[in-house]
Amino acid sequence: MGTVGIFDRSTLICAPLVAQSVEQMVIDMKQAKAEGADVVEVRLDYIKNFQPRQDLEIILRNKPLPVMIVYRPKWEGGQYEGDEHMRVETLQLAKELGADYIEFELKVASDLKGELRMNHHSGSKIIVSCYVNSMASLEEDLNHLVASMQTTGADIIKLVTNVTTITEIPRIFHLLSRCQVPLIAYSEGERGLISQLLCRKFGGFLVYGSIKGNSDPGLPTLDGLIQAYKVDNVNADTKIFGLISKPVGHSKGPLLHNPTFRHVNYNGIYVPMFVDDLRDFFSVYSSAEYAGFSVGFPYKEAIIGFCDEVHPLAQAISAVNTIIRRPRDGKLIGYNTDCEASITAIEDALKEQGCTNGEASFSSPLAEKLFVLAGAGGAGRALAFGAKSRGARVLIFDIDFDRAKSLACAVSGEARPFEDIVNFQPSKGAILANATPLGMHPNTDRIPVSEATLAEYQLVFDSVYTPRKTRLLKDAEAAGAIIVGGVEMFLRQAIGQFNLFTGGEAPEELMRKIIYAKF
């Protein structure tokens, strides 16, 4: 499904401003322009002790870029609780004073049809908006709702909802791509984030981005839209790649993949996708434009059941972190780039320190070593199979002992209860790999082993990459161990993913430069 190409111009980037004083609103408008916004949405209902004529004149006289005036009442999710007649008069005043855009709610606009139709003689554009609590609760057809908004004589219509699942978002894209008048349509919240990021692909009039210091968890930042996602480069032919995860906000994938796509002139965009149900997700996101996916926590094992084919390595590991939609038949093909990424990162670190197996320098420095693994989930499985393939002896600890035993059986290793890892005394020169979330932001103080045992390990690897140097790595380094962080694994698996996504060769040095600058 692509946009029908109704609009020739770029989708506008708008910064919503919620300052509590007129003075701060003027400052924020200038900041928004400096950060690259095309227009600002001024929320009058947030201004304390608001004086309509005086404050509007100050705002409009000092505006450094086009202004959209919004005075949202409590009954439509805003802050205004005063007299409704005075609120509408203020919006009419904004029109008289030359505001570029003025938003009226559908309920109000329906009562002002005649006046709104006469508005075409003024320089202001009228936006008619409707806020829907959830798509699921919307009984009437969305197309009918949009049609009723158009009958008000609006120049632009706006539909905002709060989806309960990402699978409701394509209904918004469908509206955007077929509406015959300029349409602003998006969902709030983390699950609705892609409705902003992919807005331009489907022909949306406007996308929102927050200024620095005014972040919203369900809203991209202006910097993100302009620098990371480069939404102005997105068009109807842009291929979509997504990270399937829950949660998803922590991922650095968009900061790496999007600039790299642009560097090799590949028309793609990589977006975070907060997925609650895999079956529902794949039944809805089934078109060719959704060309591939990264797979994160907690889906790396379960997602195998939704692949049409699975690469032998991923099949053996029973974990998939990359999916490609094969162009010729639309089938989903699962791969695992975690395995080689983690093991080669560990091997290269050992080799750099001159750690080899004596005369058998052609063999892996992991051969015959004890490989102590904390965690038997998707990342743990990749590490275990990688270690086995290099001839290491694998010992697995997991809070789910049955899962640990199952993985140990698959790699001819040994399993022990997770609580035993704290007091476990490894043989000198062993390798420790953490494949649990322990130590991940914001709970950065926890480590899976006893600090006193770290001196026994030759190398310590941590799959956690936020923070870049975890407490486990800091303590291991202080104990004299070689350390390998999750950033290196993340980079290497992303290089493998990029090659699968594009069918080309990833610019590895550029990707390394980008990722180490972002962490």
Side-chain angles (χ1 to χ4, degrees):
M1 177 175 66
T3 175
V4 294
I6 297 168
F7 311 119
D8 294 328
R9 47 137 184 82
S10 297
T11 298
L12 297 176
I13 296 177
C14 177
L17 305 180
V18 293
Q20 296 187 6
S21 70
V22 175
E23 293 76 18
Q24 187 61 47
M25 197 67 82
V26 171
I27 292 170
D28 288 353
M29 286 193 296
K30 293 176 180 177
Q31 180 182 339
K33 181 179 181 181
E35 291 183 23
D38 301 308
V39 59
V40 290
E41 178 185 275
V42 172
R43 289 287 301 273
L44 302 181
D45 49 304
Y46 275 86
I47 299 175
K48 302 293 185 184
N49 303 313
F50 177 64
Q51 303 296 317
R53 180 170 290 277
Q54 175 183 314
D55 292 348
L56 275 171
E57 286 180 347
I58 293 173
I59 291 168
L60 296 174
R61 184 171 62 246
N62 291 281
K63 68 183 179 80
L65 72 179
V67 167
M68 180 189 301
I69 295 294
V70 178
Y71 203 11
R72 191 161 302 146
K74 201 81 171 180
W75 54 263
E76 194 75 306
Q79 303 293 309
Y80 181 79
E81 296 184 87
D83 179 74
E84 183 65 10
H85 180 69
M86 289 181 62
R87 187 182 73 86
V88 174
E89 279 193 343
T90 299
L91 291 172
Q92 298 282 26
L93 175 62
K95 182 173 68 173
E96 293 172 17
L97 293 175
D100 302 275
Y101 304 92
I102 301 147
E103 182 179 318
F104 289 89
E105 301 75 23
L106 175 59
K107 178 180 174 182
V108 174
S110 297
D111 296 331
L112 297 173
K113 277 186 183 178
E115 293 180 53
L116 292 184
R117 289 186 185 280
M118 291 172 61
N119 173 72
H120 295 294
H121 299 294
S122 77
S124 302
K125 298 292 185 184
I126 297 299
I127 300 171
V128 172
S129 65
C130 183
Y131 288 74
V132 179
N133 286 333
S134 76
M135 295 284 239
S137 66
L138 187 62
E139 294 182 2
E140 64 178 317
D141 183 72
L142 279 177
N143 291 316
H144 178 72
L145 176 58
V146 169
S148 66
M149 295 169 74
Q150 288 182 237
T151 63
T152 62
D155 298 294
I156 303 156
I157 57 178
K158 177 179 178 180
L159 178 66
V160 184
T161 186
N162 189 8
V163 299
T164 56
T165 168
I166 196 172
T167 54
E168 295 171 350
I169 298 293
R171 296 178 70 188
I172 293 174
F173 295 153
H174 182 82
L175 283 176
L176 287 172
S177 64
R178 282 160 175 74
C179 190
Q180 296 303 306
V181 298
L183 172 63
I184 303 166
Y186 65 94
S187 172
E188 299 175 322
E190 193 173 9
R191 287 170 177 81
L193 181 59
I194 64 167
S195 66
Q196 299 279 356
L197 300 178
L198 301 179
C199 169
R200 176 158 166 72
K201 176 177 171 65
F202 298 103
F205 175 76
L206 179 150
V207 56
Y208 285 95
S210 61
I211 60 174
K212 290 176 183 174
N214 196 21
S215 62
D216 183 318
L219 206 63
T221 62
L222 288 175
D223 182 66
L225 287 172
I226 297 166
Q227 300 300 327
Y229 292 99
K230 288 279 186 184
V231 291
D232 269 352
N233 290 356
V234 175
N235 57 40
D237 298 320
T238 300
K239 293 292 185 183
I240 301 166
F241 298 88
L243 167 63
I244 297 171
S245 189
K246 180 182 179 180
V248 76
H250 66 283
S251 174
K252 304 293 186 184
L255 301 178
L256 178 60
H257 283 297
N258 287 308
T260 315
F261 282 153
R262 293 193 297 274
H263 180 79
V264 300
N265 294 316
Y266 184 84
N267 189 7
I269 184 170
Y270 183 96
V271 297
M273 292 177 154
F274 192 117
V275 175
D276 294 286
D277 185 287
L278 290 175
R279 187 174 302 280
D280 290 346
F281 176 81
F282 283 113
S283 69
V284 171
Y285 290 84
S286 58
S287 63
E289 61 202 350
Y290 298 101
F293 306 96
S294 301
V295 185
F297 180 84
Y299 297 127
K300 292 187 180 186
E301 295 166 84
I303 207 158
I304 286 183
F306 299 92
C307 295
D308 297 298
E309 296 177 18
V310 180
H311 185 271
L313 176 62
Q315 189 73 63
I317 297 171
S318 295
V320 161
N321 79 314
T322 310
I323 292 177
I324 300 300
R325 191 183 302 281
R326 193 160 57 198
R328 73 170 186 268
D329 56 14
K331 288 188 174 182
L332 298 175
I333 317 301
Y335 298 87
N336 189 298
T337 66
D338 283 337
C339 181
E340 283 300 297
S342 56
I343 291 303
T344 58
I346 292 170
E347 286 181 314
D348 288 350
L350 287 168
K351 291 173 182 175
E352 285 172 12
Q353 296 297 318
C355 304
T356 61
N357 283 313
E359 295 180 3
S361 58
F362 58 87
S363 68
S364 170
L366 289 173
E368 302 302 322
K369 287 189 179 295
L370 177 63
F371 193 93
V372 179
L373 175 63
R381 295 188 69 86
L383 281 156
F385 275 84
K388 178 198 174 187
S389 73
R390 299 323 200 253
R393 296 175 290 117
V394 184
L395 176 60
I396 303 158
F397 297 84
D398 192 85
I399 54 173
D400 184 337
F401 189 46
D402 287 337
R403 183 165 71 169
K405 287 191 293 184
S406 175
L407 178 55
C409 181
V411 298
S412 303
E414 181 185 348
R416 294 194 189 177
F418 191 72
E419 56 268 23
D420 290 357
I421 196 172
V422 175
N423 298 314
F424 176 71
Q425 291 292 329
S427 55
K428 193 74 175 176
I431 307 297
L432 172 65
N434 175 40
T436 76
L438 290 176
M440 183 183 292
H441 180 82
N443 302 310
T444 57
D445 287 336
R446 301 183 63 192
I447 64 173
V449 299
S450 168
E451 190 177 338
T453 66
L454 288 174
E456 303 301 316
Y457 290 101
Q458 183 178 23
L459 180 145
V460 174
F461 168 84
D462 197 343
S463 65
V464 172
Y465 61 79
T466 50
R468 175 173 165 180
K469 185 178 276 191
T470 60
R471 183 191 157 190
L472 174 63
L473 294 179
K474 290 177 181 177
D475 290 351
E477 188 174 43
I482 302 166
I483 61 170
V484 179
V487 175
E488 187 62 28
M489 174 188 172
F490 177 81
L491 169 65
R492 294 181 185 218
Q493 65 82 30
I495 289 170
Q497 284 188 336
F498 188 90
N499 294 341
L500 289 168
F501 286 161
T502 64
E505 283 294 318
E508 296 187 15
E509 286 307 310
L510 172 70
M511 293 179 77
R512 181 171 296 278
K513 181 179 179 181
I514 291 172
I515 203 63
Y516 276 97
K518 298 297 182 184
F519 281 86

